Structure formats: C-alpha cells, structure tokens
Amino acid sequence: MMFDMFFPDWYAASAYAIDFEELYERGCRGVIFDIDNTLVPHGAPADERAVNLFGRLKKIGYRCCLISNNQEPRVKMFNEKIQVDYVYNAHKPSTKNYRKAMEIMGTDTDNTVFVGDQLFTDVWGAKRTGIRSILVKPIHPKEEIQIVLKRYLERIVLHFYFRSLKKKKVEKRRKLL
C-alpha cells in the first residue's frame, strides 16, 4: 500500500503505557525517544512521570537516548532530571542521527525501538533506519502551525494504518477457523 512506509510497528495511547518489561524480554535493549508531545507537552521540562519512566527503564537495563529536532538548550533542559544521552538538531526523518543514537547506546537495529508522536518525522525516520517504532498519541493539542498542518495528513495515513490492522485481525481469525 501507498502509506506503508509511514506505518509504525506498534501504536500506544502514551509513552507511559508501553510495556517496556515485555519489550526487554523480547530482546530490546535500547530505546530512542522523541521529547515534545511524546514525553511532555512542547517546551516543558521533564515532569515526575518522565523522571519515573527513565528511572524504571534504567532499572530494567535499557540504554536510552533522546533524539530531537530542537536545539541543544531545549533538549538539555528536558534532560536535566533524567540524565540520559541525547542528540539535538537531529533533522528527523534523516537516518544519520538515529544511527548516531544507536552508536551512543551500543545497540543496533535489531535491539532498538523508537518512540515518538509524529509519523512523517519520527516513525518514517526510524523505519528508514530499520528500527522498529512505536507511535504514541500526542500529549497536548497545542502545537506549532507546521505540525498542525502535518497532523491533517497524518490522520489520513492513520486511517489506512488502523484499517490495515483490522484487516490483519480478520485474516488471522480466518486462519484459525
């Protein structure tokens, strides 16, 4: 299908609803995160939920890296309380800094997962790099105009994504019968 290149591997209501323990059991060792509207609203510092999530991930044994199209002051401010590696001014969906994040974490495409809220930057960049991706629902509706415009296009792609998931479920059921 035409939109497949933008389809995430998984969809979650929130970065905080992902079963990271299960992913770890399946062999995942590195998690790359987008920041704005994935972990906190645009421009916000790390909140208690974010601090707790990264504490939990480190305890499980994950290496984590933030990858953001923002400039360093924004990324550094978010990272103050969580203290993980980061790549700023990443030019997503370019694959270069997804690779850099894996290099920093000591992981590869087989044991890394990406978590983000945008299809055309986050998910598409991860997919082009060969990393599995988890699309999460944006945390806050207030966004910059260029993102608002992209969201309209995302709705079209997501319509086909969810339709393809339904189709797969039906096919799976048929095989079981």
Side-chain angles (χ1 to χ4, degrees):
M1 173 179 268
M2 179 168 78
F3 296 122
D4 285 8
M5 68 177 121
F6 300 114
F7 288 178
D9 294 289
W10 299 287
Y11 180 82
S14 158
Y16 302 101
I18 297 168
D19 188 343
F20 287 105
E21 287 78 5
E22 185 190 330
L23 284 174
Y24 195 85
E25 284 173 25
R26 288 186 185 186
C28 188
R29 294 297 178 263
V31 187
I32 303 172
F33 285 94
D34 172 54
I35 301 170
D36 286 329
N37 243 348
T38 296
L39 294 165
V40 292
H42 274 275
D47 57 16
E48 193 179 328
R49 274 195 330 170
V51 171
N52 292 340
L53 174 64
F54 283 93
R56 182 176 135 219
L57 292 171
K58 289 173 186 178
K59 199 183 267 182
I60 294 169
Y62 279 107
R63 290 293 311 268
C64 299
C65 190
L66 306 170
I67 177 173
S68 174
N69 285 349
N70 281 300
Q71 298 305 307
E72 188 172 24
R74 162 67 186 124
V75 181
K76 196 174 188 172
M77 180 265 283
F78 174 82
N79 193 40
E80 276 173 14
K81 292 181 187 169
I82 58 172
Q83 295 297 302
V84 295
D85 293 307
Y86 64 83
V87 178
Y88 62 91
N89 196 18
H91 299 286
K92 294 179 290 183
S94 168
T95 60
K96 179 184 172 199
N97 287 306
Y98 290 84
R99 287 194 193 96
K100 183 177 179 180
M102 287 187 289
E103 200 177 299
I104 290 167
M105 295 187 300
T107 61
D108 59 39
T109 56
D110 293 330
N111 63 7
T112 304
V113 69
F114 179 86
V115 180
D117 71 300
Q118 291 188 55
L119 286 176
F120 302 128
T121 50
D122 298 332
V123 171
W124 192 36
K127 203 161 184 121
R128 290 173 62 216
T129 310
I131 302 170
R132 290 167 296 172
S133 62
I134 302 173
L135 178 70
V136 297
K137 216 177 196 164
I139 285 181
H140 198 275
K142 187 182 164 285
E143 297 183 296
E144 297 163 3
I145 188 66
Q146 71 271 19
I147 296 172
V148 170
L149 298 172
K150 280 193 257 179
R151 294 287 185 207
Y152 287 109
L153 297 171
E154 281 187 357
R155 277 192 209 120
I156 295 165
V157 175
L158 285 172
H159 167 79
F160 289 102
Y161 170 68
F162 289 120
R163 207 166 90 178
S164 79
L165 291 181
K166 280 181 189 163
K167 215 183 258 182
K168 284 178 188 170
K169 271 187 186 169
V170 169
E171 288 168 9
K172 205 175 189 179
R173 262 193 244 122
R174 281 191 186 130
K175 284 179 184 173
L176 294 172
L177 296 175

